[in-house]
Amino acid sequence: MTAPTLFHPSREWSDRVAVLSSGASRTYGELEAGSRLRARHLLAAATACDLEGARVGFLMEPGFEYVVTQWAIWRAGGIAVPLCPDHPDRELRYVIDDADCSALIGAGMTGRRIEDAARERGIPFHEVSDPKRGFPAAGPVPPDPAPLPWIGPERAAMILYTSGTTGRPKGVVTAHGQIEAHIRSLLDAWEWERDDRILHVLPLHHTHGIVNALCCPLYAGAAVEFAGSFEAAATWDRLASGEISVFMAVPTIYAKLLRAWEAAAGSTRRRWSRGAGALRLMVSGSAALPVRVFEHWEEITGHRLLERYGMTEIGMGLSNPYEGERRPGTVGQPLPDVGVRLVRPSTGRVLAEGVEAFAPGASGEIRIRGPMVFSEYWRRPEETTAAFVDGWFLTGDEAVLEDGYYRLLGRRSVDILKSGGYKISAVEVEELLRTHPAVRDCAVVGIPDEDWGERVAAAVILKARVAPEAGLAPGVAVSSAALSPPWGAEPDSAAVASVLDPWVRKRLARYKVPRAWRLVEDLPRNAMGKVRKPAVRALFNVRARPS
Ligand code: MCA
Ligand code: AMP
């Protein structure tokens, strides 16, 4: 059998189903032919024989066209920059500009949202569904088809945006060889098989949805069934269909599935439980899986969820075993080919390495090394350098090695939150809020939430006198009428929420929008004037935890 690579499926799989979406199933042969054709169109449009690392942004709903486009960009020598359909224009344009995209591809109504951005930037917009624009989903090969370029493992493949401790998200660049190393490690650890079919419910602008749940099965010759977006009852029905063998999700999704199960009738519950119980593998990751969710899931399906730990920069690092004990509340052991260490940052002392503890019970920062670790933060050389010590990537996560299993204790920074599996920078939300004409200062924190892990919360100080017109760009939907009455003579937290919530929603991805607001006269600060985040958390009736 010919060995597959990231976007060259084995020839023996041509007639096997690769992708099921929108009620249609498409084979590996169709995926291969479609992506070759689209790669040629991309090259023809760029009058090039190799895109040589040009960034191509693409926006479309999860489905066959997404995969064809991703592979086409890779085949043409470009760097794939997936854009998120849920993001407001401001976020989409930030990514397009930061990645310095030289072409954009869109499909359907969703994709057309970036047409204006392309026009304004003088770069081509290729619409997948419109043959008149010379970019058909299928159709004649452009004349004189030059051979597609050979893409070596060192070539950059993808830029994904991840939130950091400093303001706007950073682009994480991974090379083809790094993505392949990530995939091979998981294929080995989780025993992916050609006969697997995964139900895919995750967003396609993050590693979890892209590499773990899409690239891995396609590398193995398995099938990917796109659900569209996550909906609890529909997900249960598909899990119970007898056609799905693998499922991967963030803890919030498992929590939502449990709630839907509890709300269902007895006969439905039995059907769902029996069906889901027959799956080969169910994985949880991207945020801590509460032990109560692990246990409840086992009770109703018989499955001990396999929890693992990863990060955009490193791919996957640690995992509970496929065979052997899956220990709740832990993220298991190093995955194949991944070097894992626990280090005390203040001294550099190595506390543990692999599954060996040198200082049993001591907690430290997780540091990772291996062929799957990213190349660089896009055009941020200083941040890239600062992210490594002696070739080890500094994850910023604290953990302890207990009886051979790693247990995560939390993030070292209070300014990184996780909500529903999405990483959020408190600093980014604060910086935006401070640009509102009525806001003097603010502090954003994460408050614990049973289903979401954390929710974003903002404490806000208003300017003494609000000049409603000041600083508002034309067309912004916050009218002076909306500003004046709620603030009134005596504004309160609810009034602040009613004005700032819609204002933030227009500008930030919805998962970054604060869900709790407090109007305050001042923010708790230390002697140096630095805001004390644990004390801010206490404003939301959350017991302070150390920062
Ligand atoms: C939706 N809402 C959220 C979030 N998602 N609020 C906070 N955090 C969120 N993550 C809000 C919506 O704005 C809405 O509020 C309300 O919740 C319900 O929205 P709905 O669309 O119905 O929610 P949903 O479709 O059920 O979405 C929940 C979700 C989604 C399916 C859990 O958040 C999701 O797909 N999360 C996965 C993220 C992910 O893949 N992360 C991987 C990155 P309102 O009505 O007020 O607007 S981490 C990674 O890749 C590393 C490498 C790793 O280790 O995996
Ligand atoms: P991201 O930057 O979106 O790739 O998110 C990576 C971060 O998610 C990690 O640094 C961890 O803080 C968190 N994370 C991933 N998996 C887990 C897990 N199983 N348990 C706790 N946190 C996790």
Side-chain angles (χ1 to χ4, degrees):
M1 189 170 88
T2 50
T5 70
L6 199 46
F7 51 87
H8 286 286
S10 164
R11 239 170 276 126
E12 282 80 354
W13 302 342
S14 285
D15 296 329
R16 291 180 64 82
V17 171
V19 174
L20 299 100
S21 61
S22 315
S25 55
R26 314 297 286 262
T27 63
Y28 277 92
E30 289 174 273
L31 182 50
E32 165 119 35
S35 57
R36 277 184 188 281
L37 178 62
R38 195 163 293 167
R40 288 196 187 131
H41 280 289
L42 267 178
L43 290 170
T47 53
C49 50
D50 185 335
L51 291 183
E52 285 175 356
R55 277 75 54 211
V56 182
F58 61 113
L59 181 64
M60 50 200 68
E61 299 296 335
F64 183 64
E65 292 298 348
Y66 179 102
V67 192
V68 170
T69 305
Q70 182 197 53
W71 284 26
I73 297 168
W74 286 343
R75 286 183 191 284
I79 300 180
V81 183
L83 299 165
C84 172
D86 269 353
H87 280 182
D89 287 350
R90 179 178 174 274
E91 297 255 30
L92 294 174
R93 282 160 194 253
Y94 171 76
V95 171
I96 292 166
D97 287 336
D98 189 82
D100 194 9
C101 290
S102 62
L104 299 178
I105 305 176
M109 293 283 283
T110 300
R112 247 170 261 143
R113 287 182 52 212
I114 50 175
E115 191 168 5
D116 284 349
R119 196 175 322 109
E120 288 157 18
R121 285 154 185 77
I123 57 175
F125 172 72
H126 303 294
E127 191 170 352
V128 159
S129 53
D130 184 354
K132 287 196 287 294
R133 290 175 191 237
F135 205 76
V141 179
D144 188 21
L148 293 170
W150 185 78
I151 310 297
E154 73 297 339
R155 294 265 303 251
M158 190 156 66
I159 302 183
L160 298 181
Y161 278 77
T162 188
S163 291
T165 45
T166 49
R168 307 292 305 263
K170 301 178 280 205
V172 174
V173 183
T174 41
H176 286 269
Q178 290 159 347
I179 298 176
E180 285 207 56
H182 173 167
I183 293 172
R184 285 211 202 96
S185 169
L186 292 189
L187 255 53
D188 180 8
W190 298 345
E191 302 189 12
W192 273 101
E193 296 161 8
R194 227 159 63 125
D195 291 330
D196 277 323
R197 186 194 289 190
I198 185 170
L199 178 66
H200 195 301
V201 298
L202 292 166
L204 283 171
H205 64 300
H206 281 302
T207 303
H208 196 167
I210 299 172
V211 184
N212 293 23
L214 176 62
C215 297
C216 278
L218 294 181
Y219 201 95
V224 180
E225 177 176 321
F226 285 105
S229 59
F230 171 70
E231 202 274 306
T235 300
W236 269 119
D237 281 338
R238 288 309 299 150
L239 293 178
S241 66
E243 294 173 338
I244 306 296
S245 62
V246 178
F247 186 65
M248 292 183 185
V250 298
T252 303
I253 289 181
Y254 287 107
K256 283 176 174 245
L257 288 171
L258 286 173
R259 286 193 193 278
W261 187 92
E262 275 160 6
S267 58
T268 307
R269 284 181 177 191
R270 283 190 293 279
R271 178 169 57 84
W272 284 351
S273 289
R274 208 173 34 247
L279 264 67
R280 179 178 78 75
L281 173 65
M282 302 191 101
V283 179
S284 175
S286 303
L289 176 69
V291 172
R292 100 192 125 68
V293 173
F294 178 100
E295 286 172 348
H296 195 181
W297 195 261
E298 184 175 17
E299 241 170 69
I300 69 167
T301 67
H303 263 281
R304 288 174 77 78
L305 290 172
L306 185 153
E307 183 171 8
R308 54 70 184 169
Y309 161 85
M311 197 171 176
T312 309
E313 287 90 333
I314 62 154
M316 295 299 114
L318 294 152
S319 170
N320 271 279
Y322 179 68
E323 303 279 2
E325 185 196 355
R326 296 181 191 168
R327 204 178 288 171
T330 80
V331 289
Q333 289 137 1
L335 277 157
D337 305 324
V338 184
V340 180
R341 269 183 173 180
L342 286 185
V343 175
R344 180 168 298 144
S346 55
T347 59
R349 181 170 172 220
V350 180
L351 306 166
E353 186 156 344
V355 287
E356 199 180 347
F358 307 127
S363 65
E365 181 184 24
I366 302 181
R367 299 193 174 174
I368 302 277
R369 191 166 73 169
M372 60 293 290
V373 175
F374 77 125
S375 313
E376 57 173 338
Y377 291 117
W378 176 247
R379 292 186 178 164
R380 293 172 195 252
E382 281 161 24
E383 289 179 52
T384 306
T385 307
F388 291 88
V389 168
D390 300 331
W392 291 82
F393 174 70
L394 318 181
T395 65
D397 287 307
E398 285 275 325
V400 61
L401 179 61
E402 285 171 347
D403 301 325
Y405 281 60
Y406 284 81
R407 185 163 64 82
L408 279 164
L409 301 172
R411 297 279 313 172
R412 292 176 52 74
S413 167
V414 276
D415 286 330
I416 298 286
L417 325 179
K418 268 267 163 160
S419 186
Y422 281 117
K423 196 180 200 184
I424 298 162
S425 160
V427 178
E428 182 185 11
V429 183
E430 287 165 357
E431 282 176 0
L432 175 76
L433 281 172
R434 286 194 198 100
T435 66
H436 188 281
V439 173
R440 181 151 69 83
D441 203 356
C442 63
V444 168
V445 291
I447 52 174
D449 183 280
E450 233 187 291
D451 288 351
W452 295 94
E454 283 181 304
R455 302 229 86 179
V456 183
V460 176
I461 310 175
L462 293 181
K463 286 182 181 159
R465 238 185 89 253
V466 177
E469 285 78 24
L472 285 181
V476 171
V478 180
S479 66
S480 46
L483 277 168
S484 314
W487 300 129
E490 280 189 49
D492 60 12
S493 298
V496 168
S498 71
V499 173
L500 291 183
D501 175 279
W503 187 84
V504 176
R505 267 171 205 273
K506 282 208 152 46
R507 292 163 174 81
L508 285 183
R510 57 195 191 137
Y511 48 85
K512 299 178 186 171
V513 178
R515 304 287 152 165
W517 298 87
R518 285 285 181 279
L519 175 62
V520 292
E521 293 291 313
D522 212 345
L523 292 167
R525 294 175 194 274
N526 64 17
M528 311 293 290
K530 192 170 176 284
V531 172
R532 288 188 297 118
K533 292 271 172 119
V536 175
R537 247 189 240 119
L539 296 171
F540 297 88
N541 303 326
V542 177
R543 204 161 43 83
R545 62 172 157 88
S547 50

